[in-house]
Amino acid sequence: MAAVILFSLTLAFSASLLFAVQPMIGKAILPALGGTPATWTVCLLFFQALLLAAYLYAHLLDNLRLSRQVAIHIIVICAAFLFPLSVLNFPAPGPGASPQLWLLSRLLWNAGCAYFVLAATAPLIQAWFSRTQHGRSSDPYFLYASSNAGSLAGLLAYPLIIEPLLELQAQESLWRSAFTFCAVLLTATGIYSVWRGAGNPIACSSEAGPPPPVSQKLLWCLLAFIPSSLLLGITTHITTNVSPVPLFWVVPLALYLITFIISFSSLQPLLITGLSRYFPIVLLGYAPLIYISGSSELLLIAMQLIFFFVVCLYCHCALVSKRPAAEYLTSFYLWMSFGGMLGGVFNALVAPNIFAGTPEYALMLAAAAVVWGCLYSQGRSSITLHVILICLAAVSGVAAAELFVERINPEYSLELFAVYGAPALIIFGLRRRPAVFSAMFCLLLIYLNYHHRAPGQTLVRARNFFGSKEVRYDSGNNTHKLIHGTIVHGIQSREPSLRSLPMSYYHPDGPLGDIFKVSKLDAWQVAVIGLGTGAMAAYARPQDSFKFFEIDPLVISLAEDERYFTFLAEAEGKVSVEEGDGRLLVAKERTGSFDIIILDPFTSGAIPAHLITLESISTYFEKLKPNGLVVFNVSNNFVSLDRLLLSTSRELNVVAITRMDLGVPKERAATGRYPSHYVVLTKNEEIAQKLRSDYGWHEIAEGAKLRPWRDHYSNIISIIR
């Protein structure tokens, strides 16, 4: 019993450190890349790649005598202290540098060695246990549940306990201390293994049987690949439409880990039977959620997470059901980690370079259907038929989508039933023929991918590290719209008389219009962090100067392309655009350069956290003239930034006022005016009073007292609506 406790404790503690460091270092590096959701995708790719390297190391080490294994691993642990974890030094990448390569290199330098040691723990400790004389040494896979439980504890502890209470420097110190204790545990476990393993080199060798064939190893890889890619797909979806912060990284990853815990438990044989039988219902329920968007976004995300959990659980239960004898344990974990890493490579590196949109999320659901069909079918002929039908389905699906994509509006329930409900019922009737069902399900996904798009004609769709953008023409209103995720980030009318009218969140009758009405300066010097369509340039008078700072080169190219938007080209004042992180570029400007600094960074759900810290806002005021304004577009359905800005204003001793323009009259909505919410911080009480008296601005409502965010501290939970 003592041996099981020692091994379980070592696995759980090392895994908790392994998964606590992931959101910690992801949060630390996020500001250097402008807060883009893709940062976490590349971080996960790095973690998966290093996990694979660690599992390969464990696999190679497993071929040596146990005493040599332990000695070598102790040396590697000592080497990790020469290159300790560092989460405080992440200078921004230089101009023209690849964000992905820069991020991978910084992660390797700042966290690589310590992460490698911890990642190798799970397979090594289980392999060492299998060589002891313990009664359960012939099947050490039960220890993996302890590892995953520790992973889950570390992952959840970060956003719920560590992040709200500690700044990054304190987090780093605490983690380093915990790593030292973990090194002691690993050393003690290794010494115990050598002591108890004497005379019993490989406890399970007589029962191991022949090595697993290549086909089985490829199946392990595939069953790990699908959940890994799905994890990144749903995480990107959530962080694109809500906010790219550790809490929203952690939730899908926590569910992913829970499926591992369950899969390696005694429930696995029962679950795989039930899941295999009812998996078609899961697939048909999951598919439409990928394409639906609306005002109940959080509810839709919650539903997606439930289905994501079940799909991952099926794949991982199927994976565990194919595990080999303990002699081939390290090989099993190696191929499993290889599949997980391939999922990261596909989502982080391959998909952004071959797809203009983000179809990889749906592709993995199709892959899950294919795997289910192959595993649930009986006999070679069924699998062959399955492959043939998939090819036919792909061709037929593309043809059907091209013929019917614009003919039905899925916003109405009857038409939505015709588009998805009726075909889904028909396909569900084929569930007892798995090959046919999964092939037809793939056809349905292809059709949905082409069919369910925002109203209007797609003029251009492109994708880069910062996400997928789309410009659409709405013939009903004769407008062009810039869309990122499910969020519209700018509209311009194609009517000559309305081309210069800033629409959506920037309408002259909205809060932003008030700012320019109340400022009576002869010439405005304005800085805008976030370009979008360049709509704010429409406010520029001939004597004014507007300087935009935009981190995403794709946004710049779309805003400057007069085929889509002409705000920049037709602006009356002097307008310039600089590429790079807005905070860093504003910091380089002369002190007292601007009358107004507006924060409207182009991200799909919220202002990136590093732009609203106490230090960053202090920088904005340093670059303002004495009576200047700092203006925040905080329009958001998911987080409430106004109270956070109120707490920051008190630290800086400045005025904070707000206006929520939610009740937009129908006649104004027809002119492209969207509901919006703005906050102004200023030292100019005269302008603040004029905004209150003439335009309906007011003080920010008091609520629970919030701690201002700092560069090394933030707490997303405190501002969730």
Side-chain angles (χ1 to χ4, degrees):
M1 186 62 182
V4 173
I5 293 175
L6 174 63
F7 280 81
S8 297
L9 177 62
T10 304
L11 277 169
F13 192 75
S14 65
S16 66
L17 290 181
L18 188 73
F19 277 81
V21 77
Q22 294 184 16
M24 182 194 307
I25 200 165
K27 173 183 177 175
I29 209 167
L30 194 63
L33 293 168
T36 174
T39 301
W40 181 241
T41 302
V42 177
C43 284
L44 279 182
L45 168 61
F46 168 79
F47 299 138
Q48 290 167 331
L50 209 57
L51 186 72
L52 174 64
Y55 280 16
L56 177 60
Y57 158 79
H59 179 63
L60 296 175
L61 211 61
D62 193 46
N63 295 319
L64 304 177
R65 292 178 58 87
L66 185 56
S67 57
R68 290 187 179 181
Q69 290 185 41
V70 173
I72 291 173
H73 197 56
I74 290 175
I75 293 172
V76 172
I77 292 171
C78 293
F81 286 95
L82 300 177
F83 303 95
L85 173 77
S86 174
V87 297
L88 299 178
N89 299 309
F90 289 105
S98 166
Q100 293 97 327
L101 294 179
W102 176 87
L103 178 52
L104 291 171
S105 64
R106 295 308 306 179
L107 288 170
L108 183 62
W109 178 257
N110 287 52
C113 197
Y115 190 91
F116 178 86
V117 169
L118 294 174
T121 300
L124 270 181
I125 292 295
Q126 291 177 72
W128 291 352
F129 184 80
S130 70
R131 298 191 178 200
T132 67
Q133 300 173 5
H134 193 275
R136 302 184 67 181
S137 63
S138 61
D139 186 18
Y141 288 101
F142 74 94
L143 289 172
Y144 199 61
S146 299
S147 175
N148 283 298
S151 302
L152 183 62
L155 192 64
L156 294 179
Y158 187 79
L160 299 178
I161 301 173
I162 298 172
E163 185 185 27
L165 297 178
L166 301 175
E167 294 189 0
L168 276 174
Q169 187 170 4
Q171 294 175 25
E172 179 186 280
S173 300
L174 177 64
W175 194 93
R176 287 184 179 183
S177 300
F179 181 79
T180 302
F181 178 69
C182 185
V184 173
L185 279 178
L186 284 168
T187 302
T189 306
I191 293 173
Y192 177 88
S193 300
V194 173
W195 173 49
R196 296 296 295 171
N200 189 27
I202 301 178
C204 57
S205 58
S206 62
E207 304 175 7
V214 174
S215 59
Q216 186 172 353
K217 294 176 180 178
L218 293 176
L219 182 59
W220 297 339
C221 184
L222 181 60
L223 288 170
F225 170 83
I226 293 171
S228 172
S229 181
L230 267 179
L231 167 66
L232 294 174
I234 194 171
T235 303
T236 298
H237 177 80
I238 293 173
T239 54
T240 296
N241 295 303
V242 183
S243 184
V245 292
L247 175 66
F248 299 123
W249 299 337
V250 162
V251 174
L253 186 53
L255 293 175
Y256 177 84
L257 288 174
I258 291 172
T259 65
F260 266 119
I261 295 173
I262 297 173
S263 298
F264 279 88
S265 73
S266 58
L267 295 174
Q268 183 270 333
L270 179 63
L271 284 172
I272 190 62
T273 302
L275 287 170
S276 297
R277 180 175 301 171
Y278 297 107
F279 201 59
I281 299 175
V282 176
L283 293 172
L284 291 171
Y286 199 167
L289 297 177
I290 297 176
Y291 302 100
I292 295 174
S293 62
S295 58
S296 302
E297 191 73 36
L298 289 178
L299 176 61
L300 292 172
I301 288 173
M303 294 173 66
Q304 286 190 58
L305 287 170
I306 292 171
F307 283 106
F308 160 78
F309 174 81
V310 178
V311 172
C312 289
L313 184 60
Y314 169 75
C315 291
H316 288 151
C317 282
L319 174 67
V320 174
S321 70
K322 306 294 181 182
R323 69 187 186 276
E327 184 180 10
Y328 307 109
L329 177 146
T330 57
S331 174
F332 171 71
Y333 285 125
L334 177 64
W335 281 94
M336 184 178 74
S337 65
F338 181 60
M341 188 205 69
L342 287 181
V345 169
F346 178 69
N347 283 59
L349 301 180
V350 177
N353 291 301
I354 64 174
F355 299 130
T358 53
E360 60 269 22
Y361 190 13
L363 279 175
M364 288 306 104
L365 198 56
V370 171
V371 168
W372 173 82
C374 291
L375 294 178
Y376 208 56
S377 297
Q378 299 296 322
R380 184 181 298 272
S381 60
S382 296
I383 297 177
T384 304
L385 174 63
H386 185 81
V387 174
I388 294 172
L389 285 173
I390 289 171
C391 296
L392 292 175
V395 175
S396 303
V398 172
E402 293 296 335
L403 286 172
F404 301 113
V405 64
E406 302 293 345
R407 299 189 181 183
I408 302 176
N409 186 346
E411 293 179 356
Y412 300 97
S413 58
L414 182 60
E415 293 168 345
L416 179 60
F417 176 79
V419 170
Y420 183 77
L425 287 174
I426 294 171
I427 294 173
F428 179 70
L430 301 171
R431 67 191 183 281
R432 297 190 185 280
R433 301 181 64 187
V436 180
F437 170 88
S438 53
M440 297 304 293
F441 178 76
C442 292
L443 185 154
L444 185 62
L445 276 178
I446 294 170
Y447 177 73
L448 281 175
N449 190 55
Y450 276 85
H451 179 275
H452 195 88
R453 295 176 181 170
Q457 173 191 355
T458 299
L459 301 178
V460 62
R461 181 186 291 131
R463 182 176 177 179
N464 63 0
F465 176 74
F466 298 96
S468 177
K469 290 87 184 174
E470 182 178 4
V471 178
R472 297 190 67 80
Y473 173 66
D474 188 341
S475 58
N477 298 319
N478 194 21
T479 57
H480 284 180
K481 297 181 178 181
L482 177 61
I483 300 172
H484 179 211
T486 61
I487 309 297
V488 176
H489 279 280
I491 305 174
Q492 185 174 27
S493 175
R494 308 310 292 170
E495 297 289 341
S497 61
L498 297 175
R499 281 164 67 96
S500 62
L501 177 69
M503 294 182 170
S504 65
Y505 317 104
Y506 320 109
H507 198 280
D509 293 334
L512 184 64
D514 301 341
I515 302 299
F516 291 102
K517 291 172 188 173
V518 79
S519 181
K520 302 299 183 182
L521 296 175
D522 294 334
W524 296 326
Q525 302 294 320
V526 180
V528 183
I529 297 179
L531 176 61
T533 61
M536 288 189 218
Y539 285 100
R541 303 167 300 181
Q543 67 271 30
D544 298 332
S545 173
F546 276 58
K547 183 177 286 188
F548 290 87
F549 303 101
E550 174 57 55
I551 197 170
D552 189 344
L554 180 55
V555 171
I556 296 174
S557 66
L558 292 174
E560 292 181 340
D561 194 327
E562 295 181 41
R563 294 175 297 173
Y564 309 127
F565 304 102
T566 60
F567 288 120
L568 297 178
E570 297 177 355
E572 295 182 5
K574 180 184 177 182
V575 175
S576 61
V577 180
E578 291 189 24
E579 180 183 337
D581 181 78
R583 175 179 171 179
L584 299 178
L585 293 176
V586 167
K588 294 178 181 178
E589 298 289 329
R590 289 182 296 106
T591 299
S593 297
F594 302 107
D595 300 296
I596 305 173
I597 296 177
I598 303 173
L599 277 87
D600 182 45
F602 185 75
T603 184
S604 186
I607 295 174
H610 73 291
L611 297 180
I612 54 173
T613 63
L614 184 64
E615 293 86 350
S616 63
I617 296 175
S618 297
T619 300
Y620 307 148
F621 273 100
E622 179 185 331
K623 305 305 175 182
L624 276 181
K625 295 176 182 178
N627 291 322
L629 309 174
V630 182
V631 182
F632 298 84
N633 180 1
V634 296
S635 308
N636 192 283
N637 292 325
F638 308 107
V639 295
S640 177
L641 294 170
D642 50 354
R643 291 190 300 109
L644 177 63
L645 292 172
L646 174 63
S647 66
T648 305
S649 71
R650 288 173 174 168
E651 287 285 327
L652 297 174
N653 195 28
V654 299
V655 177
I657 55 176
T658 185
R659 181 185 165 198
M660 299 180 68
D661 185 36
L662 302 182
V664 179
K666 289 185 178 180
E667 63 273 12
R668 290 298 185 183
T671 64
R673 177 177 164 191
Y674 280 18
S676 60
H677 184 193
Y678 280 76
V679 171
V680 166
L681 302 187
T682 182
K683 297 178 181 179
N684 190 335
E685 178 58 44
E686 181 182 349
I687 287 184
Q689 182 55 38
K690 193 166 183 62
L691 285 170
R692 293 188 195 100
S693 61
D694 295 354
Y695 299 100
W697 289 66
H698 55 84
E699 310 301 324
I700 298 171
E702 294 282 354
K705 187 175 181 180
L706 298 179
R707 178 181 172 186
W709 286 7
R710 307 293 297 264
D711 282 349
H712 296 147
Y713 169 81
S714 62
N715 180 10
I716 188 68
I717 294 176
S718 65
I719 62 170
I720 294 177
R721 291 187 187 276

